[in-house]
Amino acid sequence: MRTKLILAVILAALPCLCLADLSTAPITTTWIPKVSRKMVKFAESQTGALQLVKAYDEKLNFTEIQIDGETQLHLLTQAAGDRLKMCRDILHRNKAEIEASHAQGSTGGAPASDCCDNLGQLEYDPRFLQQIVNDSCATFTAGTGENTIRPTVYDTMKSNIHDMSGATWQYYGAKEGEYHQFPKNDRSCEGNDHRFRNWYVSAASPKKKNVVIVMDVSGSMEEPRDAPEEQNRLNLAKQAALTVLDTLTPRDWGGVVSFSARAEAPEGCLGDSLGEANPTNIGIMQDFINQRVPETITVYAEGFRKAFDMFHEAKNKKPEQFEDCYNIIIFLTDGQPTDTYFSLDDITKGQDLMERSVHIFTYGLGANLQWASSGWGNDPNNPFVKLPALDFLATIADQNNQQIPGAVEWTNRYCTQGNYGSCFSANRDPQGVGPVGRTEYIDDSEGDKLKTIMGSYYDFFPFSSDPEPTYSVPTNDEHLGLVINAALPTIDTSDTFFGVTAVDISMNVVFHEIANFNIGKYSYAFLVDREDGRVLIHRNLPKPTEWRSEPTFLGLEAMEGALRSREVTKILNGDTGDYYTMVKVPIARGNAQYDGAVTIEKAATFYYEPIPDTKYSVVLCLFEDDETIAIPTQVSPENGTDALYHRLDLLYMNNATGDTEFCSLYGEYATPDDSTIKFPPEAFADPINYLNTLETFDDVVDIELFINDFTGTMANPGLIEGIRTDVILSAEIEQYWRVNGTESVWRYFGTENGVFRIFPGIITDKRYDPTRQTWYARALSRPEDYTFSRPVPSPFGGGNMVTISRVIFHTKTEEVLGVIAADITETYYYSMLYTEIPECLSDDYDCFLLDDSGYFMESLDNTTIYYLSTFNNNTRNMEHDHLTNRFPWLAKYLTVRGEYLRSEWCNNYATQNSQLFYDTTGFIGLEVTTGPPCYQFALYPINATNTFILTLHNRHTYHCDDRPITVGGNQNCSCNDICQTCSTDDLQVCQCPCICDWNYESCTNEILRLLSDIPCPRE
């Protein structure tokens, strides 16, 4: 009854916006079957799908093999473990050489060029995916500027890189400011001194840290007024605070407080608590620091009270973060306190809440402090004698431990008067209020040293003389993708720390088999960092080389809801085991950002085991459907087969083109009468070697000899089984492509093994994998249909294209073999439909083609040709042209009825938000032929495709107004990038595809609630 009432309200609102006569003829749809036949026939002619199925059916057979989960898991852990061991060995070799060099004294260092100068000899290196100089370099941020590193260190670093371990950048930073790196590049020339970067700090002081920066923003922080603004105390304080943040890793927690008459902290959870020092939270704290302006007075107590409250709240949220750690308040001020004993009282109370665990480091900045008084008298016999402000800061840092010069006892001295908490008992151990800290004074004349002094807070703590390597939470290198930093402190013969050596480890190399696990149809593997429970590689996350921003990794329970808590605990404990359950499988519907996914539930077993000698565990989710897989038998090429490998540039430059005609197409080498073959990294038995070496002409010759060999005598150049069979059988389609479907600009076929054949032949990116593309996913989501894409720019050139794609099955076994596709220009696509629907060209109707996500593909009227001509090279953007945006009244009507537009949510684990998308599965058609003509419509699917025809009365002829309608203060459909309604409770809300932030606790990095259990497909 409620739905009928809503419909009545909507329809009642519509006539006032339509000026047409109600006596118009009804919409007809008798021509839709003809369009359906035309589109299917056209798709078949362009792709050649039927011919390719016939070729595979005639020549391909399969054998079945059993997949053992434990065996497959062990192969994954062994491969990753072997490479990690190689990286550890590299790190230890470098450490040994650096320590040996250091033992020989500070003279005799090798000549080394400046990392930030003379970069003119850069050459591209595939191991680093960027330009480098194949030599070592050095920089000096402090010290004498003399190189203390001997040639053996550089030689060792250079030899290490030949190991295919995943080790990339190797570097060493000395405590005195000397920095060395191999290979040479300017990557270290911007940002802070290496001694304040988290890779250095985590090795120099490996225990996790919980740090609150408390920063004075009183009016005097604007001094000295005769200095440039960037050198006033507040700006120097900001630089120092930002430097401290740079030292933190996501394993640490941080917070920031500014104080004057009152204390302030960032908005959100960081206003009440410390938070994980992940990229999101660090960014919030950096913004807060940069926005501080001078205020009024200097109330120390406000800053300390806020800091301890934040510590207490954080400990309540996640007690385990405060086990085996250092808790630190970094307190910076330039003046005497406006309050007196209150700050001491608040410190005492706060330490009691934190079990006396918080070190306090005080930093006094500026000349005012040299003569300032604290206003506090520490001697009851001389109440008018006040402690100097600098001694007061020392007293705070000492916390009654009587270890810092100038510090005095504050309790038990006044506790009997009710100040500073209760008196300590004589047997209290320790007697201090909290652990001893440090205090520093920096004069205005040396203000530029503040960030160095304050940023070195970590060297207060002892280091281990027998350390283990520290492994960072992965960060995103703009060239390599995700990298892990492994670091070790360097220690001299007297057990004195003098620097840190480190190596960046490519996750794409070390964990390649995990990230690219592809046995079976559904199964996947993922990687867990047991140190803090993060999932680093997963099917719902971008691959290591595909992150677009700095990642924030979620915990195991958030990423894998199918695991019960007992199994999560066992995995995080480093146990080996398995667990059988039902698991939801996301099936991408096309474009990851706009089309969402559907899910099916399947039985699966989670197998898990640790990587030896590391804090990582690997989990394999093996589905029952994948425990038996069909393997195609080998097929030999027939005499005369001549597959052409895609590296046309190497063939051309070596005069090895033979009878193949070469040309330039869209500025690239091309073969107009032949297709080319391309293999993804996973098609090679050693994908790491393939990625880390440049292909040569000899490599091309070896590949072509092998894939075209009908004698069986040519050596396999390293391709996995089944690749040559796909090359041979897919060759059957090339002759068809030469003589049929010439309306297409591109035709191509991708196999489940990743073999990619494209006509005309071109060079394809080394990492291109057809199975990861939108056109491939769209076809798999509708395996019985021809799927048509929205017009988007082709990655191969030629402007906007419509991609037609179709799954290729083996008829007998129903095994998916791959997806075949054809690209046609948007203009031709329109023209093809234009000839079949003359009804839409009259002044009576407007017709539109939509896809199964509700996006417009074409407007089928006689203005479209002109409309297309207004775009340069036909490159208009169709990705945001959705029914909810163009015809909100119709979208609202369909949403309320629950037909055609069914809203769904999916979770993007990379961007940490939920995406709204629309699914049309099961919609069989709907028409409304009564009421105002402007709101009559017919919407029907085009059979055997993913498209729909929408027919309306001509909007111009009938003076229709399709702008959003406001009823009761709300528009019928809201269209913003950020959703107006983030809820699944009201399914009748109409809004354009949009995103909602998660209900997410950023301080603890925990998801509180999600709108859906469907993961978005990764891009």
Side-chain angles (χ1 to χ4, degrees), residues 106 154 172 189 203 208-209 223 344 358 362 441 471 501-502 634 679 852 885 905 932 957:
S106 58
Y154 293 156
Y172 158 66
C189 297
K208 63 189 176 186
K209 303 167 192 65
E223 299 176 3
L344 304 179
V358 182
T362 59
Y441 169 70
Y471 294 90
T501 184
Q634 292 191 29
F679 309 129
D852 56 351
N885 184 49
W905 298 90
T957 301

Side-chain angles (χ1 to χ4, degrees), residues 934-951:
C934 285
Y935 301 103
Q936 295 179 21
F937 67 91
L939 180 63
Y940 283 96
I942 297 177
N943 293 333
T945 76
N946 66 322
T947 59
F948 297 79
I949 287 282
L950 169 65
T951 308

Side-chain angles (χ1 to χ4, degrees), residues 48-122:
L50 299 181
Q51 283 69 25
L52 190 56
V53 168
K54 181 180 178 182
Y56 271 93
D57 284 348
E58 290 176 351
K59 298 182 179 180
L60 189 62
N61 294 303
F62 291 86
T63 58
E64 290 188 344
I65 63 170
Q66 299 299 310
I67 301 299
D68 180 73
E70 291 183 0
T71 301
Q72 292 299 322
L73 175 63
H74 188 65
L75 291 173
L76 295 175
T77 57
Q78 184 175 31
D82 288 348
R83 294 195 193 104
L84 282 172
K85 183 179 183 302
M86 293 171 70
C87 293
R88 281 199 305 276
D89 290 345
I90 287 172
L91 191 62
H92 281 288
R93 281 199 296 271
N94 291 350
K95 172 182 167 71
E97 289 291 345
I98 292 166
E99 289 175 344
S101 176
H102 183 81
Q104 296 177 50
S106 58
T107 60
S113 62
D114 189 333
C115 294
C116 308
D117 194 17
N118 297 323
L119 297 174
Q121 300 175 358
L122 293 168

